[in-house]
């Protein structure tokens, strides 16, 4: 039996977990999905409350294996990055006493870039504190687990940080719909998934100015971001259509398949992009 623990802040991580769960069921492995909730739930919890909440998310009848799908902010609660690392170490220690094996999949990279002395002194100090906590507290706890990532550069990064239990894990996926030739009289371009700043939607809008007859589809959930990007699109002469992406994976992929092109432009390297994988599954 495998328990999958995941957060709901990222649609990509949530869908990834559910798809992984389906793949395991096909090979007759018993699994359970254990959701911790999204940011709207977790952001109000102080350190004691979030620790109590995380424990409640674990089934009382413990299985052999826990697989944590590490989601951005799932351990932070109402605190800061230091609290997040403390909570993560505390949680791993608790789970190691309950489960025979603990796996953690990282869907993003944790890096502490060198900063210039021109950087504000407070920022330099905070970065140094976070780096020390990561290397001296978190990495030793990760070395008691099996850490899974989705790219060789991410493996090498964690190894350089002292993690000696990291392994490369290939994302299981299947084709949802075949590739097709776009209708050049109206090219439907999509930014898959929820709007987040790191996806560089502004750059996607700029790219559409170079795609004749393009119409850009963006998520309609965050009204403030929608108005911001609609304003940019109007100034660049790019038509925008809004869509509420389905929370059901199959329905979401059906929606995505109606488009011709997907634009996923991150502001930094990512270990794995669920949005890119979804687009490839839909033949975009």
């Amino acid at each position: 039996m495998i328990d999958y623990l995941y957060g709901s802040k990222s649609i990509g991580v949530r869908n990834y977990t559910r798809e992984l769960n389906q793949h395991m069921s096909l090979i007759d492995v018993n699994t359970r999905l254990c959701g911790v909730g999204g940011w709207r739930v977790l952001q109000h919890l102080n350190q004691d409350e979030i620790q109590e909440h995380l424990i409640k998310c674990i089934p009382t009848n413990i299985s052999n294996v826990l697989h944590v799908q590490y989601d951005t902010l799932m351990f932070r609660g109402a605190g800061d990055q230091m609290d997040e690392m403390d909570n993560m170490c505390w949680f791993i220690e608790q789970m190691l006493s309950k489960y025979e094996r603990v796996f953690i999949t990282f869907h993003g990279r944790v890096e502490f870039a060198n900063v210039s002395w021109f950087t504000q002194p407070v920022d330099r100090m905070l970065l140094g504190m976070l780096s020390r906590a990561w290397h001296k507290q978190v990495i030793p706890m990760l070395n008691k687990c099996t850490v899974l990532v989705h790219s060789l550069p991410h493996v090498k990064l964690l190894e350089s940080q002292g993690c000696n239990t990291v392994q490369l894990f290939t994302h299981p996926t299947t084709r949802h719909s075949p590739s097709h030739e776009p209708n050049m009289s109206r090219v439907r371009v999509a930014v898959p998934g929820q709007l987040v700043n790191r996806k560089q939607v502004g750059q996607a809008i700029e790219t559409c100015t170079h795609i004749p007859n393009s119409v850009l589809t963006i998520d309609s959930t965050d009204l403030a971001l929608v108005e911001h990007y609609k304003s940019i699109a109007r100034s660049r002469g790019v038509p925008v259509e809004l869509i509420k992406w389905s929370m059901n994976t199959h329905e979401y992929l059906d929606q995505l398949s109606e488009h011709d092109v997907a634009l996923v432009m991150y502001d930094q390297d990512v270990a794995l992009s669920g949005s890119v994988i979804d687009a490839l599954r839909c033949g975009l």
Side-chain angles (χ1 to χ4, degrees):
M1 173 74 79
I2 301 175
D3 289 337
Y4 287 113
L5 186 75
Y6 69 101
S8 301
K9 179 178 185 295
S10 167
I11 290 179
V13 172
R14 187 207 61 208
N15 288 346
Y16 171 93
T17 307
R18 293 179 178 178
E19 185 175 340
L20 181 60
N21 182 63
Q22 292 172 357
H23 276 269
M24 298 304 287
S25 66
L26 293 175
I27 57 175
D28 296 325
V29 176
N30 293 324
T31 60
R32 292 183 296 196
L33 295 178
C34 312
V36 302
W39 180 233
R40 291 179 182 176
V41 174
L42 302 178
Q43 66 176 327
H44 303 294
L45 304 180
N46 62 35
Q47 192 163 28
D48 290 337
E49 291 170 336
I50 196 168
Q51 290 180 0
E52 180 182 358
H53 174 75
L54 290 169
I55 291 297
K56 286 182 178 179
C57 293
I58 300 298
T60 53
N61 52 331
I62 300 297
S63 65
N64 303 102
V65 177
L66 174 68
H67 190 167
V68 179
Q69 304 296 327
Y70 188 85
D71 194 358
T72 306
L73 308 180
M74 71 184 296
F75 292 110
R76 186 174 298 185
D80 55 22
Q81 289 171 284
M82 291 297 293
D83 293 321
E84 181 179 355
M85 292 188 190
D86 287 343
N87 292 335
M88 182 180 178
C89 291
W90 174 87
F91 183 76
I92 292 174
E93 187 173 30
Q94 296 294 313
M95 294 304 101
L96 287 170
S97 68
K98 297 177 182 292
Y99 289 89
E100 295 178 15
R101 299 191 68 183
V102 175
F103 291 79
I104 300 178
T105 293
F106 278 96
H107 295 273
R109 299 162 69 96
V110 179
E111 294 185 78
F112 303 95
N114 294 324
V115 293
S116 164
W117 282 102
F118 293 104
T119 305
Q120 293 293 327
V122 172
D123 294 335
R124 289 203 307 270
M125 181 178 68
L126 176 60
L127 189 63
M129 292 171 60
L130 292 172
S131 179
R132 285 192 296 274
W134 176 259
H135 289 87
K136 293 187 177 182
Q137 294 174 236
V138 179
I139 291 295
M141 293 304 298
L142 293 180
N143 283 337
K144 298 179 181 181
C145 312
T146 300
V147 178
L148 303 176
V149 295
H150 303 288
S151 70
L152 283 174
H154 202 178
V155 171
K156 294 178 180 178
L157 171 65
L158 282 169
E159 287 178 340
S160 72
Q161 294 173 342
C163 183
N164 54 35
T165 60
V166 60
Q167 298 179 16
L168 181 65
F169 180 73
T170 303
H171 174 67
T173 189
T174 55
R175 176 59 68 91
H176 181 76
S177 56
S179 302
H180 65 277
E181 290 294 327
N183 178 1
M184 298 308 295
S185 64
R186 189 174 187 269
V187 181
R188 297 198 63 187
V189 181
V191 175
Q194 291 180 323
L195 293 183
V196 289
N197 290 331
R198 68 177 181 273
K199 283 188 178 177
Q200 296 292 287
V201 179
Q203 189 175 350
I205 293 171
E206 188 63 29
T207 302
C208 284
T209 65
H210 302 282
I211 303 176
N213 306 316
S214 61
V215 178
L216 181 64
T217 300
I218 61 175
D219 180 54
S220 63
T221 305
D222 190 322
L223 296 179
L225 278 178
V226 165
E227 289 305 316
H228 171 69
Y229 290 125
K230 283 175 64 177
S231 175
I232 295 175
R234 279 195 299 269
S235 69
R236 300 296 292 142
V238 175
V240 170
E241 292 184 349
L242 303 181
I243 190 169
K244 184 172 179 58
W245 298 111
S246 174
M247 301 294 282
N248 176 279
T249 301
H250 190 86
E251 292 176 359
Y252 164 68
L253 293 175
D254 281 345
Q255 290 176 307
L256 195 57
S257 297
E258 295 176 357
H259 295 80
D260 304 302
V261 178
L263 292 177
V264 188
M265 300 174 168
Y266 290 104
D267 58 3
Q268 58 183 346
D269 289 341
V270 295
L272 175 78
S273 170
S275 295
V276 170
I277 290 174
D278 290 340
L280 294 174
R281 291 181 65 186
C282 295
L284 305 190

